[in-house]
Amino acid sequence: MNEKAMARHQALTTGIRNGPRCRHRLWCGPAALLVGLALPAISAVAQEVPPNPSTVSDESVRRINGYRGIWFTLGQFYGQGEDGGYIPMRRQPTFPYGDKYSGGLATYTAKHVPLAVHCPEVDKTFFVYGGAPEDKQRYLLCMVSYYDHRTGQVPRPVVVHDKGGVDDPHDNPSLLIDDQGHLWVFVSGRGRTRPGYKYRSRRPYSIDGFEQIREEELTYPQPWWIDGLDTPFVHLFTKYTGVRELYVERSVDGQTWTEDQQLAGIRRDGDRAGGHYQTSAVWRQRIGTFFNRHPGGNVDKRTDLYYLQSDDGGVTWADVEGNPVETPVVDVENPCRVRDFESDGRNVYLKNMVFDHQGRPACLIVTSGGHEPGPPNAPRRLKVVRWTGNVWVESEVTQVDHNYDMGSLIIHDDQWIVMVPSDAGPQADHGGGEIVRWSSRDSGATWQRENAVTENSVRSHNYVRHPVDAADPFFVFWADGDPTELSPSRLYFADSTGRHVHVLPDQMETDKTPVQVIDLDTSASTKNETP
């Protein structure tokens, strides 16, 4: 560790810690308000729901009779000033630009990775999401389910963790499946006000019961199983140590974990705070992460792009060329910096990352002029930043109309594919829109619009996610919702062509039911209607 890091951080150890780390003093009482976030302010009031136990402590399994996503508003609204710019941020709904982000956020955030895994052993795609007990009910349930590729059916989804009144999808879960087929659900906490949890399925390839393994501080969980490593469980996550800093922990069995190793906490001289968001992926025994930087800890100024990779499960780290990088990364001008976007006055919003067939990393991002929604910060450019083997290059896929229009970059056979809500949709200039499939046949250098995935919708689609080892027809999945007002939210998935869209049933009369296919050639009245 260099002198600057030593002065700023305590030395980290690599010892194994055992048992759950319970920090109830941090999360009880008045401190349980969100750190740095406005309480949601919207005309509709959240419904009261009796809290349920937040852990699965016996053999009982709580199921929900349908797939209903969580709806959320951050409560940071912007309108247009007389000069064409922005009026100051308000807590009450303000238009034409509306909230910084809102809508159906069942598959939020981009920093929750992965959300789904296909298991060829049982030919099922298991997935997690943020659910709600009923439509327009702002009460978060951390859900798990699966799609059975052999039968075309889904079961009633299972509640892994009841957040006890929290309505914030920052607490959504992520998913890992180990070599024995056990599902590990990592439930996000929020800063230092709410804890995170790790759960393990009682049986392989089964959602019929989970046991809580740990309770601890973790946000934006990114758990990975890397076969062949001494510690195959590798977990990248965020701790609010000043303000959002990146960490990694490792485990042999998922029960006992190494001490948290800090990856990044960049601050300029004189800064009292910093911060990062990241997105990660695995190729063979390599784990890679792209991350941005929050100058002075200000998330609204997020900028720049960095990349680190590790071939030993996060014990040591290197840049893209394999040169060792000392962690934690604390200097702005570090060898692992991919691109200086701050000098261009551009914000950077990470979407997802992939490795190509040769193990070269690529990242999907949006750059814009600022954090406020609406045309004054346009153009918002959806770009792919990729390593060619010799140099970092970037190419523009298209433009979007919101910083939080989230899609996925996918490498499938000989094509690079992006599925993203790049068409404005029913609520233009707000989060989400109509999903479009874009493709490249020259490794991301140039892009062509292929086809619409959704059309004529009444609610905006957003946060398009790609499962690990995805198999048709469950190639991408997402949720919809109206970002301008409290609305129902449905969940969908589509195949690799983007021409066959399925909607998960919002009401189920039986334990299992076939999934409805939406025909894009039919009239708009058959698609995505409010119940």
Side-chain angles (χ1 to χ4, degrees), residues 130-190:
E134 299 293 342
D135 282 338
K136 299 186 178 183
Q137 199 166 25
R138 296 187 55 189
Y139 186 102
L140 178 65
L141 300 174
C142 296
M143 308 297 301
V144 66
S145 191
Y146 64 83
Y147 172 74
D148 190 326
H149 290 254
R150 290 177 291 193
T151 66
Q153 295 182 325
V154 292
R156 287 182 172 137
V158 167
V159 178
V160 177
H161 187 95
D162 185 325
K163 273 291 182 172
V166 171
D167 73 346
D168 185 350
H170 287 93
D171 291 40
N172 280 354
S174 299
L175 178 66
L176 174 154
I177 300 181
D178 66 24
D179 62 339
Q180 301 300 309
H182 285 283
L183 282 68
W184 295 77
V185 177
F186 286 53
V187 175
S188 180
R190 186 62 173 144

Side-chain angles (χ1 to χ4, degrees), residues 40-256:
I42 199 75
S43 56
V45 178
Q47 294 174 293
E48 292 186 2
V49 179
N52 290 291
S54 61
T55 62
V56 179
S57 58
D58 55 36
E59 294 297 333
S60 64
V61 177
R62 181 182 173 194
R63 298 181 184 274
I64 301 297
N65 67 338
Y67 293 79
R68 297 179 285 274
I70 187 72
W71 185 95
F72 180 72
T73 176
L74 183 64
Q76 296 183 15
F77 296 92
Y78 296 88
Q80 186 176 26
E82 294 181 359
D83 61 354
Y86 295 102
I87 62 173
M89 186 269 290
R90 296 180 178 179
R91 301 299 188 192
Q92 296 299 321
T94 305
F95 297 95
Y97 305 143
D99 205 349
K100 189 163 78 170
Y101 57 85
S102 56
L105 299 181
T107 53
Y108 181 84
T109 72
K111 287 84 70 179
H112 288 66
V113 180
L115 296 193
V117 180
H118 175 248
C119 296
E121 298 85 352
V122 292
D123 205 11
K124 294 177 180 178
T125 296
F126 295 90
F127 59 96
V128 293
Y129 65 96
E134 299 293 342
D135 282 338
K136 299 186 178 183
Q137 199 166 25
R138 296 187 55 189
Y139 186 102
L140 178 65
L141 300 174
C142 296
M143 308 297 301
V144 66
S145 191
Y146 64 83
Y147 172 74
D148 190 326
H149 290 254
R150 290 177 291 193
T151 66
Q153 295 182 325
V154 292
R156 287 182 172 137
V158 167
V159 178
V160 177
H161 187 95
D162 185 325
K163 273 291 182 172
V166 171
D167 73 346
D168 185 350
H170 287 93
D171 291 40
N172 280 354
S174 299
L175 178 66
L176 174 154
I177 300 181
D178 66 24
D179 62 339
Q180 301 300 309
H182 285 283
L183 282 68
W184 295 77
V185 177
F186 286 53
V187 175
S188 180
R190 186 62 173 144
R192 295 189 144 179
T193 63
R194 296 194 295 268
Y197 302 88
K198 295 169 182 167
Y199 287 89
R200 178 181 182 267
S201 65
R202 297 185 184 276
R203 296 191 301 275
Y205 305 114
S206 172
I207 64 172
D208 298 330
F210 287 80
E211 58 181 339
Q212 182 185 312
I213 303 299
R214 302 177 64 82
E215 174 186 329
E216 59 194 283
E217 180 187 352
L218 69 92
T219 306
Y220 306 123
Q222 301 188 17
W224 297 98
W225 169 270
I226 306 179
D227 193 34
L229 295 182
D230 292 336
T231 53
F233 291 85
V234 181
H235 179 213
L236 303 179
F237 62 105
T238 298
K239 292 172 70 172
Y240 277 51
T241 52
V243 175
R244 300 170 178 85
E245 296 181 321
L246 305 182
Y247 289 80
V248 60
E249 60 178 352
R250 308 177 304 282
S251 177
V252 174
D253 56 8
Q255 305 278 345
T256 58

Side-chain angles (χ1 to χ4, degrees), residues 191-410:
R192 295 189 144 179
T193 63
R194 296 194 295 268
Y197 302 88
K198 295 169 182 167
Y199 287 89
R200 178 181 182 267
S201 65
R202 297 185 184 276
R203 296 191 301 275
Y205 305 114
S206 172
I207 64 172
D208 298 330
F210 287 80
E211 58 181 339
Q212 182 185 312
I213 303 299
R214 302 177 64 82
E215 174 186 329
E216 59 194 283
E217 180 187 352
L218 69 92
T219 306
Y220 306 123
Q222 301 188 17
W224 297 98
W225 169 270
I226 306 179
D227 193 34
L229 295 182
D230 292 336
T231 53
F233 291 85
V234 181
H235 179 213
L236 303 179
F237 62 105
T238 298
K239 292 172 70 172
Y240 277 51
T241 52
V243 175
R244 300 170 178 85
E245 296 181 321
L246 305 182
Y247 289 80
V248 60
E249 60 178 352
R250 308 177 304 282
S251 177
V252 174
D253 56 8
Q255 305 278 345
T256 58
W257 292 79
T258 61
E259 290 295 327
D260 302 338
Q261 173 190 346
Q262 190 176 15
L263 289 184
I266 296 175
R267 305 181 193 181
R268 292 192 188 279
D269 290 337
D271 282 350
R272 300 183 62 183
H276 308 279
Y277 286 139
Q278 71 179 337
T279 181
S280 59
V282 167
W283 178 78
R284 297 180 181 174
Q285 292 184 349
R286 174 172 297 166
I287 187 168
T289 177
F290 284 93
F291 54 97
N292 59 16
R293 175 176 64 87
H294 308 164
N298 187 345
V299 68
D300 288 338
K301 300 293 185 181
R302 67 189 75 175
T303 190
D304 288 355
L305 188 63
Y306 297 79
Y307 174 76
L308 287 173
Q309 64 186 32
S310 174
D311 292 330
D312 55 15
V315 178
T316 60
W317 293 86
D319 65 17
V320 72
E321 295 183 283
N323 302 308
V325 173
E326 198 168 17
T327 56
V329 176
V330 296
D331 296 312
V332 173
E333 296 178 0
N334 189 280
C336 70
R337 184 164 67 170
V338 173
R339 174 79 153 79
D340 172 11
F341 283 100
E342 185 180 38
S343 297
D344 298 335
R346 305 295 287 173
N347 278 17
V348 175
Y349 296 82
L350 306 179
K351 304 308 172 183
N352 81 310
M353 77 158 285
V354 297
F355 286 103
D356 69 12
H357 300 309
Q358 296 175 278
R360 298 177 299 199
C363 191
L364 185 68
I365 65 172
V366 165
T367 66
S368 76
H371 70 280
E372 303 95 338
N377 278 326
R380 295 177 174 85
R381 303 187 187 279
L382 183 72
K383 293 184 174 184
V384 170
V385 179
R386 59 192 174 90
W387 176 250
T388 66
N390 298 302
V391 65
W392 289 105
V393 297
E394 57 188 86
S395 58
E396 183 172 323
V397 180
T398 186
Q399 293 186 18
V400 295
D401 67 3
H402 198 275
N403 292 332
Y404 292 82
D405 287 342
M406 194 277 176
S408 287
L409 169 64
I410 305 156

Side-chain angles (χ1 to χ4, degrees), residues 478-493:
W478 68 91
D480 72 358
D482 187 335
T484 67
E485 62 181 1
L486 181 61
S487 77
S489 175
R490 298 290 173 261
L491 285 97
Y492 304 80
F493 63 88

